[in-house]
């Protein structure tokens, strides 16, 4: 099956700094990637849809200036949390769709962000 | 907007027994896909089973099967011969062809030895 990686798996940053999370599709080209956020004991909430070569589409209530998404290539999308605050601490999961593989989405292992 | 509802926050089952997790959804689409995902403590999302709405036959994957009732917009997951490794969060999810997955709130399944 298709493999999606994320880096880093765990990051701690200080309040006010920015942190970048990478999502890569390893064995397929992903024209579309999705970013989800998951708080403890809660479900996955879609933050944004990332399309290669164009601007990301953000869900209602998600600050696009705070969560910068760049999908610069067919295998890489990045999420940058700018001026992070403790309330941004969460588990971030990316997911990619293989256009050759139909409708299914493949998930990365997630990134745990802790802002101190 | 499409919504997915899981009404059971927690469930438990004895090892080797059968358990059914419930899921209902709301959509005006006729062509869509339904999924059950498992999220163990590692938090990696693992696809358990999928169902295409146009297929009348219920999907089955080894010990996992679904009861898909399209008219009732119901999509329950049955786990037979439960094993300790089945303990996890289970999420029901919905999508159409090009839209992202929408998840229910999840059901935490405990397996009692």
């Amino acid at each position: 099956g298709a493999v999606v990686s994320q880096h880093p798996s765990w990051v701690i940053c200080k309040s006010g700094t920015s942190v970048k999370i990478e999502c890569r599709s390893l064995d397929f080209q992903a024209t579309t990637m999705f970013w989800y956020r998951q708080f403890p004991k809660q479900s996955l909430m879609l933050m944004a849809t990332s399309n290669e070569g164009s601007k990301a589409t953000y869900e209602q209530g998600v600050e696009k200036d705070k969560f910068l998404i760049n999908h610069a290539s067919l295998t890489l999308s990045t999420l940058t949390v700018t001026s992070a605050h403790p309330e941004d601490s969460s588990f971030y999961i990316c997911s990619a769709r293989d256009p050759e593989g139909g409708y299914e989405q493949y998930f990365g292992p997630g990134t745990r962000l802790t802002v101190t | 907007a499409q919504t997915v509802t899981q009404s059971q926050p927690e469930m438990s089952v004895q090892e080797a027994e059968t358990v059914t997790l419930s899921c209902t959804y709301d959509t005006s689409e006729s062509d869509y896909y339904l999924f059950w995902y498992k999220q163990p403590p590692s938090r990696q999302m693992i696809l358990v089973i999928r169902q295409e709405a146009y297929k009348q036959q219920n999907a089955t994957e080894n010990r996992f099967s679904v009861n898909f009732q399209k008219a009732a917009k119901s999509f329950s997951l049955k786990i037979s011969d439960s094993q300790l490794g089945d303990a996890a969060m289970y999420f029901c999810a919905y999508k159409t062809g090009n839209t992202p997955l929408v998840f229910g709130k999840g059901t935490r399944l405990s397996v009692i030895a």
Side-chain angles (χ1 to χ4, degrees), chain A residues 43-82:
Chain A
S43 186
L44 284 73
M45 297 299 296
L46 181 67
M47 299 175 65
T49 299
S50 168
N51 295 296
E52 187 268 337
S54 64
K55 291 184 178 181
T57 302
Y58 290 83
E59 295 299 300
Q60 190 174 7
V62 177
E63 300 176 59
K64 62 180 181 179
D65 294 331
K66 180 166 191 60
F67 298 100
L68 300 179
I69 292 172
N70 187 350
H71 194 157
S73 78
L74 287 172
T75 58
L76 174 65
S77 176
T78 60
L79 168 67
T80 301
V81 183
T82 63

Side-chain angles (χ1 to χ4, degrees), chain B residues 18-37:
Chain B
T18 296
V19 64
T20 298
L21 307 185
S22 301
C23 173
T24 59
Y25 58 95
D26 186 26
T27 183
S28 58
E29 302 288 337
S30 59
D31 190 19
Y32 51 88
Y33 310 90
L34 296 164
F35 305 80
W36 278 97
Y37 282 88

Side-chain angles (χ1 to χ4, degrees), chain A residues 36 38 43 103-105 109, chain B residues 39 47 50 52 95 101 104:
Chain A
Y36 292 84
Q38 185 180 31
S43 186
Y103 55 85
E104 194 163 332
Q105 283 181 222
Chain B
Q39 189 180 43
L47 176 64
R50 67 171 75 82
E52 293 89 349
K95 79 186 304 287
L101 283 162

Side-chain angles (χ1 to χ4, degrees), chain A residues 92-114:
Chain A
Y92 294 88
I93 305 175
C94 76
S95 178
R97 192 171 72 87
D98 180 359
E100 303 295 326
Y103 55 85
E104 194 163 332
Q105 283 181 222
Y106 302 95
F107 286 86
T111 297
R112 182 182 302 279
L113 170 63
T114 301

Side-chain angles (χ1 to χ4, degrees), chain B residues 1-99:
Chain B
Q2 289 78 16
T3 58
V4 178
T5 302
Q6 293 179 250
S7 59
Q8 306 155 315
E10 296 183 354
M11 291 283 285
S12 62
V13 62
Q14 289 284 142
E15 197 175 5
E17 295 296 311
T18 296
V19 64
T20 298
L21 307 185
S22 301
C23 173
T24 59
Y25 58 95
D26 186 26
T27 183
S28 58
E29 302 288 337
S30 59
D31 190 19
Y32 51 88
Y33 310 90
L34 296 164
F35 305 80
W36 278 97
Y37 282 88
K38 172 184 178 181
Q39 189 180 43
S42 69
R43 304 188 81 168
Q44 171 73 58
M45 297 294 284
I46 300 169
L47 176 64
V48 175
I49 198 165
R50 67 171 75 82
Q51 173 83 43
E52 293 89 349
Y54 64 84
K55 290 186 177 179
Q56 292 185 335
Q57 187 172 6
N58 288 325
T60 299
E61 289 287 343
N62 300 313
R63 297 183 296 109
F64 300 87
S65 62
V66 298
N67 183 2
F68 173 47
Q69 301 291 326
K70 191 172 184 179
K73 295 181 182 176
S74 172
F75 183 62
S76 61
L77 173 69
K78 185 172 80 172
I79 306 174
S80 304
D81 185 26
S82 297
Q83 301 175 358
L84 294 177
D86 295 333
M89 281 292 292
Y90 286 82
F91 293 100
C92 179
Y94 162 102
K95 79 186 304 287
T96 59
N98 292 320
T99 61

